[in-house]
Amino acid sequence: MDRVDPTAVQSVISIAGLTKTYASGLQALKRVDLEIRRGEIFALLGPNGAGKTTLISIVCGIVTPTSGQVLVDGHDILREYRATRSRIGLVPQELHTDMFETVWGTVRFSRGLFGLAPNAAHLEKVLRDLSLWEKRNDKIMTLSGGMKRRVLIAKALAHEPQILFLDEPTAGVDVELRRDMWALVRRLRASGVTIILTTHYIDEAEEMADRIGVVSRGELIVVEEKTALMKKLGKKQLTLHLLEPMTAIPAALADWNLTLNNGGCDLEYTFLSSDEGKAIPALLRRIGELGIGYRDLNTRQSSLEDIFVSLVSERA
Amino acid sequence: MSTITHTRAFNGRGVLAIFRFEMARARRTLWQSLVTPVITTSLYFVVFGAAIGSRMSEVDGVPYGAFIVPGLIMLSLFTESLSNSSFGIYLPRFIGTIYEILSAPISAFEMVLGYVGAAAAKSVILGLVILATATLFVPIRILHPVWMLAFLVLTATTFSLFGFIIGIWAKGFEQLQFVPMLIITPLTFLGGAFYSIDMLPGTWRIFSLFNPVVYLISGFRWSFYGTSDVGVGISLAATLGILALCLALVWWIFRTGYRLKT
Ligand SMILES: Nc1ncnc2c1ncn2[C@@H]1O[C@H](COP(=O)(O)OP(=O)(O)OP(=O)(O)O)[C@@H](O)[C@H]1O
Ligand SMILES: [Mg+2]
């Protein structure tokens, strides 16, 4: 059995050797190790069926792990489930809501279920933060999909969790609500809540996350600070718009990773972001020496999306 | 955000939340929950009590109309406990809201206490309402009111537990109906709800002794009229035995996570 490293005290969640094999025989998680830092926003990325929801469900107590250990704030999720679950709020991927209950009724229920004394002021604040206050007496089934998503978030926040799991919170949500949610997530983080979210919108992870984990086929293939990840794996591209079209790349430039595009009018140079600072000046100097003229130049940085796609397809 | 520094050993508020949720569901469907069984019971009185009872004068020295009251209450108690409780746990499984219960700091025991407690409470209320309805038709005396209540509560709890098991086992709505329709109703009719099993021919009487429902109805009727098909001690033992069996099954369900967790 894998044991969590007891020295990892900084972590609010420690996952060690976590494996899940479903009854069907499908191995959804393969020895996953992960440390979530207190107070961070952690984005879990990965294609459909990678195992993101399975991972979250195990930490929250909905799915039983096959092997491995998970500690939440130092408590074991199986033996000390009361301590771990009372710290966690979960917004599930699917819109699982009651139908006939009112919004107010359902958030009250959630708070009670987690063992907390009623606190109308807190619930009011949560509903106001999510623009649900006006709807508090409405039956949930009369709400739109985006509104139901907010109700699920309100339920997850009703018991004042220290850790919030958001499983694709912005799926099927309009642009405005997405912005609202991002703002809410930032406010929660500012108040000390640790947030773990999954998303298929890479720009969302790019915008929000402190750290990023990429899951592919049940394995955690990368865990990295967002900025470091983009720096390490990101590529940059320099494009020179030439004065005179070229038919072939001169042999004197063979040392650089160059391609000719746009009928020989554009010379493109691709390099790792980490080489930034030495690559471009050297190339431009060489080009000057060769007397190649250019009208204009621009650089482009690959997005997290490019990085993600190349990471996942590498494994496929 | 507040910090939860200590965790209680018993999540009473969680139990209460589930209990209230279930009771609220009954209030919304008050018509089905109370009015339908009351009307059905009244119809039984009209048919069995008035039409047949006028030809059957007395059973064990009790007027027939009064004799069938405990059986009628039990019949409703069985079916309502089963359907209330099985539906109560099946619905969240079906619509997916069970995720919240499973992710809450609530033990299996507390979860059962909430769901089964609510279903049993509804059934006990229903039983008392039917009893009150019955007094409109026939004069009723209750020799052992405390035992009457005890049998009422025990039976409601047992069948609510049984319903909880069905609600977890069921893979579809048809299966929820299956057990009450195909097993409980026949067993009740054959279990002496409307007659004393002494009235049956020899072999059938022996057969009846394998029907657990006979013991439940007999004990309950004893608390009213002091007469019974089988000894009241045996009735009580049988009731407790079935309760223990259901408890064991529920315990197994939570140990294995059967149909609750993957
Ligand atoms: N209850 C289950 N029984 C059997 N297999 C399951 C079950 N739940 C999930 N799986 C399988 O486990 C794998 C991981 O699923 P999971 O839901 O964790 O993926 P995901 O990363 O959340 O995907 P998505 O982005 O589509 O939400 C999938 O192949 C899925 O089919
Ligand atoms: Mg998922």
Side-chain angles (χ1 to χ4, degrees):
Chain A
M1 181 114 162
D2 288 277
R3 290 273 150 202
V4 162
D5 176 9
T7 57
V9 281
Q10 269 302 304
S11 308
V12 69
I13 300 177
S14 303
I15 299 173
L18 192 63
T19 301
K20 174 65 190 179
T21 309
Y22 281 110
S24 59
L26 183 122
Q27 202 175 3
L29 292 178
K30 298 168 189 160
R31 301 189 56 84
V32 169
D33 299 303
L34 177 63
E35 303 287 324
I36 302 288
R37 297 175 191 161
R38 196 178 299 279
E40 74 175 338
I41 298 181
F42 188 89
L44 210 49
L45 304 180
N48 288 134
K52 305 178 296 292
T53 300
T54 302
L55 181 64
I56 290 177
S57 301
I58 291 175
V59 180
C60 295
I62 296 164
V63 168
T64 1
T66 306
S67 66
Q69 195 189 19
V70 181
L71 298 187
V72 175
D73 232 357
H75 301 282
D76 184 278
I77 55 157
L78 298 178
R79 280 184 293 106
E80 301 160 279
Y81 66 91
R82 284 188 204 270
T84 65
R85 293 185 198 168
S86 57
R87 286 168 168 77
I88 296 177
L90 166 66
V91 181
Q93 182 173 359
E94 308 289 335
L95 285 179
H96 298 308
T97 58
D98 289 310
M99 293 177 276
F100 303 103
E101 280 67 30
T102 62
V103 171
W104 183 254
T106 201
V107 291
R108 257 184 65 105
F109 169 79
S110 297
R111 190 173 168 90
L113 187 65
F114 277 73
L116 294 194
N119 181 342
H122 173 70
L123 296 183
E124 176 172 345
K125 182 178 175 304
V126 168
L127 291 185
R128 284 192 189 281
D129 277 350
L130 286 156
S131 320
L132 279 172
W133 183 244
E134 311 301 318
K135 302 268 181 193
R136 65 189 179 280
N137 294 319
D138 290 10
K139 285 193 172 132
I140 299 170
M141 67 177 184
T142 65
L143 302 179
S144 73
M147 288 280 189
K148 284 184 184 142
R149 174 87 49 199
R150 291 191 229 191
V151 171
L152 289 181
I153 299 177
K155 280 168 78 70
L157 293 176
H159 67 277
E160 302 166 53
Q162 299 163 29
I163 303 162
L164 182 65
F165 282 95
L166 295 159
D167 200 351
E168 296 194 33
T170 51
V173 151
D174 68 24
V175 183
E176 197 183 340
L177 178 50
R178 237 175 117 188
R179 295 274 157 195
D180 285 357
M181 272 188 197
W182 291 359
L184 175 74
V185 166
R186 289 213 180 84
R187 280 203 302 279
L188 285 170
R189 202 252 309 253
S191 71
V193 178
T194 306
I195 291 146
I196 298 104
L197 57 89
T198 75
T199 178
H200 285 289
Y201 301 113
I202 314 259
D203 57 325
E204 193 161 278
E206 203 170 331
E207 163 107 24
M208 304 282 304
D210 299 311
R211 286 197 309 149
I212 286 171
V214 178
V215 192
S216 175
R217 298 163 176 236
E219 284 174 274
L220 199 57
I221 55 179
V222 174
V223 178
E224 196 76 71
E225 299 274 346
K226 177 186 66 188
T227 42
L229 180 71
M230 300 198 51
K231 207 166 200 155
K232 196 158 89 185
L233 295 168
K235 296 212 170 79
K236 278 202 147 185
Q237 218 163 40
L238 168 74
T239 308
L240 295 175
H241 304 285
L242 303 173
L243 286 172
E244 309 273 322
M246 243 182 223
T247 46
I249 294 163
L253 295 176
D255 286 351
W256 283 271
N257 177 21
L258 296 172
T259 51
L260 272 176
N261 286 321
N262 197 15
C265 293
D266 291 351
L267 187 64
E268 262 176 22
Y269 171 44
T270 309
F271 57 98
L272 287 175
S273 301
S274 48
D275 290 339
E276 196 177 39
K278 22 188 223 276
I280 296 185
L283 176 68
L284 291 184
R285 220 177 301 122
R286 193 86 186 97
I287 281 179
E289 286 163 15
L290 292 170
I292 300 168
Y294 51 90
R295 287 184 275 116
D296 193 9
L297 83 178
N298 63 304
T299 60
R300 193 181 84 83
Q301 173 141 29
S302 60
S303 66
L304 186 58
E305 183 150 356
D306 302 328
I307 300 170
F308 172 74
V309 168
S310 74
L311 265 178
V312 170
S313 59
E314 240 168 62
R315 294 273 172 151
Chain B
M1 290 279 158
S2 80
T3 322
I4 301 148
T5 44
H6 65 106
T7 341
R8 283 187 194 80
F10 180 78
N11 184 355
R13 289 203 180 92
V15 175
L16 201 64
I18 294 177
F19 186 88
R20 284 223 189 99
F21 181 91
E22 286 298 298
M23 293 311 252
R25 197 165 61 76
R27 266 199 300 281
R28 274 197 308 272
T29 54
L30 199 63
W31 187 251
Q32 287 114 293
S33 309
L34 278 180
V35 180
T36 316
V38 167
I39 291 178
T40 317
T41 313
S42 305
L43 287 175
Y44 275 118
F45 270 115
V46 173
V47 176
F48 285 94
I52 302 174
S54 59
R55 290 148 195 262
M56 278 190 52
S57 60
E58 288 195 343
V59 182
D60 292 344
V62 180
Y64 186 69
F67 177 83
I68 63 170
V69 172
L72 276 179
I73 295 176
M74 278 283 150
L75 178 61
S76 294
L77 211 59
F78 297 159
T79 51
E80 289 303 308
S81 301
L82 280 180
S83 70
N84 260 321
S85 183
S86 60
F87 196 74
I89 187 69
Y90 181 73
L91 197 67
R93 282 182 60 219
F94 181 73
I95 61 176
T97 49
I98 190 89
Y99 85 86
E100 195 181 20
I101 311 277
L102 293 178
S103 67
I106 187 161
S107 70
F109 171 70
E110 289 153 3
M111 183 176 157
V112 170
L113 205 59
Y115 280 106
V116 171
K122 279 185 268 185
S123 296
V124 168
I125 293 170
L126 174 80
L128 295 175
V129 168
I130 292 176
L131 183 61
T133 313
T135 57
L136 301 177
F137 293 88
V138 283
I140 289 166
R141 65 205 154 90
I142 302 169
L143 279 183
H144 311 286
V146 176
W147 279 109
M148 192 276 285
L149 272 177
F151 272 113
L152 199 67
V153 171
L154 271 179
T155 310
T157 307
T158 305
F159 278 75
S160 297
L161 267 173
F162 190 23
F164 186 85
I165 295 164
I166 294 170
I168 284 180
W169 162 80
K171 280 185 172 162
F173 280 100
E174 329 76 59
Q175 288 186 329
L176 285 187
Q177 303 295 330
F178 178 80
V179 173
M181 294 288 283
L182 256 73
I183 301 178
I184 300 306
T185 311
L187 283 185
T188 313
F189 273 87
L190 299 173
F194 303 112
Y195 52 86
S196 161
I197 59 167
D198 287 335
M199 295 157 75
L200 293 173
T203 37
W204 281 102
R205 190 163 63 233
I206 293 174
F207 252 131
S208 293
L209 295 178
F210 291 99
N211 178 354
V213 169
V214 165
Y215 300 91
L216 302 176
I217 294 180
S218 173
F220 193 52
R221 187 177 290 132
W222 168 84
S223 70
F224 279 75
Y225 307 121
T227 60
S228 57
D229 293 335
V230 293
V232 65
I234 299 175
S235 282
L236 189 62
T239 312
L240 292 174
I242 303 171
L243 180 66
L245 191 71
C246 290
L247 280 173
L249 263 172
V250 169
W251 179 78
W252 175 81
I253 284 173
F254 281 104
R255 251 196 78 98
T256 58
Y258 174 76
R259 297 225 175 143
L260 273 176
K261 295 192 188 192
T262 42

